């Protein structure tokens, strides 16, 4: 996989996400060239992984990429990925069968050889399909993405200016959302028969891994966390493969039975003289049945590994590793200090000159080291989404706020359940200062905030605000939004 400079984390997310996507596309193109080399046994595997990395990046970063990642290109890549699955699955199963042959009796090896022959036929047919799909779908997707990815639009707001989100901050949110999905899905893998749940957890683990890979060289502990993710993916992959192979072998068993039945009822060959009895072939079925038993043992062993290494408290090292990386990315993205004072009001002021009204819903994510908030703002018919991190208390606090997409907000919002507030914000400009009057709609509370140029500044209360002010509550824990949401 292509490497990226450390400075990429400080780039605007729109540019950084596209640079990563273009590098992943170039890597897939390089692996595609290897498919024409018959003496390169790993070419198909490496091309398949490159396609999966690219598809996962385009899908997860869909909010940021927008029209730069057209649905047509994603459809072609999805079809291509499915075409490569058939060949690679047959190759992996054949490799495993070769290793198992020494554990079989001579009678059972007949079934293994019979099954290997059919897998070879299946792989040969799939290889032809892969080459056809590559020459058609990959080249079309590549051409379209190369035309779209290099260009993007930077949205600006008439009041707030350009909303610049740094790549480090957006990746922190992405990693947390992906980790949350992985944890929820792993919790549903409770027994060896939870095949579908394990498959969904495996997909979630892959997506988290592919998002993490580009930034691993630039964060402390990234390599170790990636290794844990790979171990989880391997265990879940073994579990998934074993169950898929059972289906393959069950179908093979039925086919063997049909072939033997057809041979028994076939009319004898017409020959002169005495009838010739064809030599009886040894049945492959005992070998296939034995292999099914071996595969079942493999599935059980894979489940035990998942249960031992990634269930309950055993998952904590992986979770802590991802969270530490997300915290480090947040710290890198943190770029501003918020200086503000807050006042308790007895009611909404009767006059709010030139107020602009926003409807706000915000929630707070679990965590102790950082206060992370996600917010939806409805402003003049437009809906926008933000994620914010605040550190500290009192008049001056470190804050970074970045705009995010709807998909990121929707992924993080469920994590805030039980820690939310809703309010109607009236924004009033008064000279060089801008006052925000928050009328909470989920409780009887009105607060006023003003952002200041320094902590030493104490503003004069505007005439329209002063009659409603009860007292200053800057730094009082009871009036911190994160505590109000608790």
């Amino acid at each position: 996989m292509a490497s990226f400079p450390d400075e990429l984390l400080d780039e605007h997310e729109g540019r950084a996400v596209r640079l990563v996507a273009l590098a992943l596309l170039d890597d897939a193109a390089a692996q595609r060239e290897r498919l024409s080399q018959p003496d390169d046994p790993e070419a198909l595997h490496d091309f398949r992984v490159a396609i999966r990395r690219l598809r996962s990046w385009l899908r997860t970063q869909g909010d940021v990429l927008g029209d730069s990642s057209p649905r047509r290109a994603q459809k072609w890549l999805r079809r291509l990925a499915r075409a490569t699955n058939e060949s690679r699955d047959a190759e992996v199963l054949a490799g495993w069968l070769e290793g198992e042959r020494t554990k079989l009796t001579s009678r059972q090896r007949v079934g293994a050889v019979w099954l290997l022959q059919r897998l070879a036929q299946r792989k040969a047919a799939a290889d032809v399909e892969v080459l056809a799909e590559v020459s058609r779908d990959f080249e079309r997707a590549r051409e379209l993405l190369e035309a779209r990815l290099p260009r993007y639009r930077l949205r600006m707001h008439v009041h707030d200016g350009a909303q610049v989100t740094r790549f480090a901050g957006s990746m922190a949110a992405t990693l947390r959302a992906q980790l949350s999905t992985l944890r929820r899905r792993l919790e549903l893998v409770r027994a060896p028969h939870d095949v579908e749940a394990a498959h969904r957890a495996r997909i979630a683990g892959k997506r988290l891994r592919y998002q993490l890979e580009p930034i691993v060289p630039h964060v402390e502990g990234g390599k170790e966390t990636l290794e844990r993710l790979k171990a989880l993916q391997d265990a879940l992959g073994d579990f998934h493969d074993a169950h898929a192979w059972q289906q393959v072998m069950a179908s093979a068993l039925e086919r063997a039975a049909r072939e033997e039945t057809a041979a028994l009822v076939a009319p004898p060959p017409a020959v002169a003289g005495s009838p010739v009895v064809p030599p009886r072939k040894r049945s492959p079925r005992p070998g296939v049945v034995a292999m099914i038993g071996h595969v079942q043992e493999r599935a059980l062993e894979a489940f035990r590994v998942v249960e031992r290494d990634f269930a309950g408290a055993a998952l904590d090292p992986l979770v802590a590793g991802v969270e530490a990386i997300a915290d480090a990315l947040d710290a890198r993205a943190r770029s501003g200090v918020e200086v503000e004072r807050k006042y308790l009001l007895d009611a909404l002021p009767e006059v709010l000159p030139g107020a602009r009204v926003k409807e706000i819903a915000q929630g707070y994510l679990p965590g102790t080291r950082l206060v992370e908030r996600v917010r939806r703002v409805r402003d003049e018919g437009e809906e926008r989404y933000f994620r914010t991190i605040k550190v500290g208390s009192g008049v001056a606090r470190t804050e970074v706020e970045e705009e995010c997409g709807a998909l990121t907000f929707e992924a993080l919002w469920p994590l805030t359940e039980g820690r939310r507030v809703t309010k109607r914000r009236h924004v009033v400009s008064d000279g060089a200062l801008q006052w925000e009057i928050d009328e909470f709609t989920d409780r009887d509370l009105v607060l006023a905030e003003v952002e200041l140029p320094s902590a030493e500044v104490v503003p004069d209360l505007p005439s329209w605000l002063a009659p409603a002010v009860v007292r200053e509550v800057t730094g009082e824990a009871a009036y911190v939004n994160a505590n109000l949401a608790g």
Side-chain angles (χ1 to χ4, degrees):
M1 181 181 168
S3 60
F4 305 96
D6 178 73
E7 294 77 13
L8 188 74
L9 292 171
D10 301 318
E11 284 281 0
H12 174 255
E13 67 168 341
R15 181 170 187 264
V17 165
R18 286 166 175 80
L19 286 173
V20 173
L22 285 167
L24 293 174
L25 181 60
D26 287 344
D27 184 53
Q31 306 309 325
R32 178 255 184 277
E33 296 301 320
R34 293 171 53 195
L35 292 178
S36 58
Q37 302 174 12
D39 58 342
D40 191 345
E42 293 300 312
L44 177 61
H45 170 71
D46 292 345
F47 176 68
R48 182 170 177 248
V49 171
I51 291 296
R52 281 174 11 202
R53 282 193 178 113
L54 176 60
R55 286 189 63 221
S56 180
W57 188 262
L58 296 178
R59 177 187 176 118
T60 304
Q61 299 293 343
D63 262 0
V64 179
L65 291 170
D67 294 340
S68 296
S69 177
R71 289 185 179 180
R72 285 180 297 159
Q74 296 187 48
K75 180 186 72 174
W76 293 329
L77 291 174
R78 180 173 63 250
R79 190 160 58 192
L80 180 60
R82 289 174 178 170
T84 63
N85 286 346
E86 182 83 11
S87 179
R88 185 61 181 174
D89 289 351
E91 182 180 346
V92 172
L93 176 53
W96 182 77
L97 279 172
E98 287 287 0
E100 292 294 302
R101 287 175 67 174
T102 57
K103 303 176 184 178
L104 302 174
T105 65
S106 58
R107 183 183 180 189
Q108 291 171 341
R109 289 193 194 107
V110 173
V113 171
W114 177 86
L115 191 54
L116 283 167
Q117 290 172 345
R118 277 145 186 81
L119 286 172
Q121 295 170 0
R122 176 177 162 185
K123 183 180 184 305
D127 286 347
V128 172
E129 183 181 356
V130 167
L131 292 176
E133 294 281 356
V134 166
S135 56
R136 182 187 65 192
D137 289 336
F138 179 70
E139 295 307 326
R140 289 194 294 181
R142 178 185 180 184
E143 181 179 353
L144 186 55
L145 289 170
E146 285 179 341
R148 294 284 191 90
L149 283 172
R151 297 175 178 83
Y152 67 98
R153 296 176 180 177
L154 180 61
R155 188 167 72 169
M156 301 185 71
H157 193 275
V158 66
H159 296 293
D160 304 325
Q163 297 298 314
V164 177
T165 301
R166 293 171 69 186
F167 185 49
S170 69
M171 283 304 299
T174 298
L175 293 179
R176 288 193 178 100
Q178 296 284 344
L179 177 63
S180 175
T181 300
L182 175 60
R183 295 179 71 176
R184 290 198 309 271
R185 292 183 178 181
L186 276 173
E187 287 172 357
L188 299 177
V189 184
R190 302 188 182 98
H193 61 262
D194 291 328
V195 180
E196 181 59 29
H199 174 65
R200 287 170 58 82
R202 182 173 68 100
I203 297 301
K206 282 184 181 179
R207 289 176 179 165
L208 176 56
R209 173 187 168 187
Y210 293 149
Q211 295 301 304
L212 189 58
E213 281 178 334
I215 59 175
V216 156
H218 312 301
V219 290
E220 186 177 352
K223 185 177 180 181
E224 293 80 0
T225 300
L226 192 61
E227 289 300 323
R228 289 191 179 99
L229 267 174
K230 288 179 180 177
L232 171 62
Q233 185 178 334
D234 288 344
L236 289 170
D238 288 345
F239 185 69
H240 174 268
D241 286 347
H243 282 280
W245 294 350
Q246 288 183 55
Q247 299 299 318
V248 172
M249 292 181 185
S251 297
L253 194 61
E254 293 177 2
R255 178 175 176 178
R258 289 197 302 270
E259 289 179 357
E260 291 179 18
T261 301
L264 287 173
V265 301
V271 295
S274 301
V276 177
V277 179
R280 185 175 180 182
K281 294 182 179 180
R282 299 180 72 179
S283 172
R285 284 187 292 164
V288 176
V289 170
M291 296 309 301
I292 290 176
H294 289 207
V295 169
Q296 290 173 338
E297 292 175 5
R298 177 185 172 92
L300 186 57
E301 178 59 30
F303 173 77
R304 289 176 182 143
V305 172
V306 174
E307 188 177 41
R308 181 192 68 208
D309 296 341
F310 301 102
L315 187 63
D316 289 350
L318 174 58
V319 172
V322 176
E323 289 180 341
I325 291 171
D327 288 349
L329 291 171
D330 275 328
R332 181 160 184 159
R334 195 179 305 127
S335 59
V337 175
E338 173 193 64
V339 179
E340 67 178 18
R341 291 186 181 273
K342 183 180 294 187
Y343 301 85
L344 175 65
L345 309 186
D346 58 12
L348 191 69
E350 295 181 4
V351 178
L352 293 167
R356 183 161 54 101
V357 180
K358 302 179 181 181
E359 299 290 339
I360 296 174
Q362 64 190 42
Y364 294 82
L365 276 66
T368 55
R369 285 181 287 180
L370 297 173
V371 177
E372 182 171 1
R373 179 186 75 200
V374 289
R375 171 186 280 176
R376 181 184 63 233
V377 179
R378 292 192 176 99
D379 183 6
E380 299 177 352
E382 182 183 14
E383 222 173 60
R384 299 168 70 191
Y385 307 90
F386 302 87
R387 58 183 295 269
T388 304
I389 296 166
K390 294 191 178 186
V391 178
S393 60
V395 176
R397 296 185 295 170
T398 300
E399 178 190 82
V400 58
E401 179 167 86
E402 300 174 333
E403 188 164 5
C404 64
L407 291 180
T408 298
F409 176 84
E410 290 167 3
L412 295 175
W413 185 249
L415 305 180
T416 70
E417 186 173 358
R419 298 197 65 198
R420 297 171 182 169
V421 297
T422 59
K423 53 191 178 181
R424 184 173 297 111
R425 170 164 290 175
H426 307 263
V427 182
V428 182
S429 296
D430 187 80
L433 300 179
Q434 182 171 272
W435 290 85
E436 296 175 345
I437 315 303
D438 286 343
E439 176 189 8
F440 287 76
T441 56
D442 57 358
R443 69 200 72 199
D444 184 17
L445 179 65
V446 182
L447 297 172
E449 293 183 2
V450 60
E451 192 165 340
L452 304 168
S454 72
E456 290 74 28
V457 174
V458 179
D460 293 328
L461 297 178
S463 58
W464 54 267
L465 176 64
V469 173
V470 176
R471 60 187 175 87
E472 183 177 352
V473 293
T474 304
E476 292 190 23
Y479 297 101
V480 174
N481 276 262
N483 296 333
L484 290 170

